[in-house]
């Protein structure tokens, strides 16, 4: 499952590239439409959104707070964000590491540190190769899930459409 928030559409594009790179059926859901029951049943949970004020957006914070403590026990998790790379924003931090920490505190098995994808301006656009990088990152996550689970095939991810 890929859960995302997006303000100007850039994070949605990255979420779609991630979802498309995962074999099988993938449920890509906007944070405002996510079902906590579905989150608890998926094999791989990828959560991402734009960086707002050095962290996740308010809707993303609310969703993460709603996930019960240790309810992701054993679930493979990963986090991503979209971010500006303006030097004066760096001290405030980015959303992905904070989302990753929240998922880990909820019992998730963090596969990799949070990953950032660059937006070139306040409203975008994304650099030309950013969606390819997102797809490659997602493929590496699937490989890691397979390796840690000792499975020969990709995990089956829940699908509700999306």
């Amino acid at each position: 499952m890929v859960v995302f928030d997006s303000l100007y559409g850039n994070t949605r594009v990255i979420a779609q590239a991630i979802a498309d790179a995962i074999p099988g059926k993938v449920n890509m859901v906007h944070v405002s439409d996510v079902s906590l029951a579905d989150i608890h049943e998926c094999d791989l949970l990828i959560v991402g959104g734009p960086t707002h004020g050095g962290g996740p957006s308010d809707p993303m914070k609310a969703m993460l707070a709603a996930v019960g403590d240790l309810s992701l026990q054993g679930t493979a998790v990963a986090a991503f964000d979209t971010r500006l790379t303006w030097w004066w924003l760096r001290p405030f931090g980015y959303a992905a590491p904070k989302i990753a920490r929240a998922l880990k505190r909820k019992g998730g098995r963090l596969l990799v540190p949070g990953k950032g994808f660059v937006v070139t301006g306040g409203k975008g656009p994304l650099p030309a190769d950013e969606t390819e990088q997102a797809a490659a990152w997602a493929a590496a996550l699937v490989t890691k899930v397979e390796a840690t689970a000792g499975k020969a095939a990709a995990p089956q991810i829940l699908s509700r459409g999306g």
Side-chain angles (χ1 to χ4, degrees):
M1 173 181 275
V2 178
V3 177
F4 73 97
D5 191 15
S6 188
L7 185 58
Y8 299 111
N10 297 299
T11 310
R12 180 188 247 305
V13 170
I14 294 296
Q16 188 67 60
I18 290 167
D20 289 347
I22 299 172
K25 294 184 179 196
V26 177
N27 188 11
M28 187 176 115
V29 182
H30 188 271
V31 68
S32 63
D33 298 325
V34 70
S35 159
L36 294 179
D38 285 349
I39 284 177
H40 298 301
E41 294 178 18
C42 66
D43 298 324
L44 172 60
L45 176 61
I46 303 170
V47 178
T51 298
H52 285 245
S57 64
D58 288 342
M60 186 61 69
K61 287 180 200 172
M63 187 276 299
L64 291 167
V67 175
D69 288 343
L70 300 178
S71 63
L72 297 177
Q73 196 67 42
T75 302
V77 297
F80 71 95
D81 67 33
T82 50
R83 59 180 66 171
L84 297 168
T85 58
W86 300 338
W87 68 269
W88 54 273
L89 292 174
R90 290 186 192 136
F92 299 103
Y94 300 105
K98 294 168 183 163
I99 294 169
R101 279 193 299 274
L103 293 171
K104 191 172 179 181
R105 278 193 308 271
K106 302 295 182 173
R109 184 170 43 90
L110 190 62
L111 297 173
V112 294
K115 173 71 173 156
F117 297 97
V118 175
V119 177
T120 59
K123 294 182 180 180
L126 294 164
D129 65 342
E130 213 65 4
T131 55
E132 290 82 9
Q133 289 184 35
W137 180 74
L141 289 176
V142 171
T143 300
K144 190 151 188 142
V145 168
E146 291 171 347
T148 59
K151 296 179 182 177
Q156 288 300 308
I157 314 294
L158 266 180
S159 178
R160 275 191 342 182

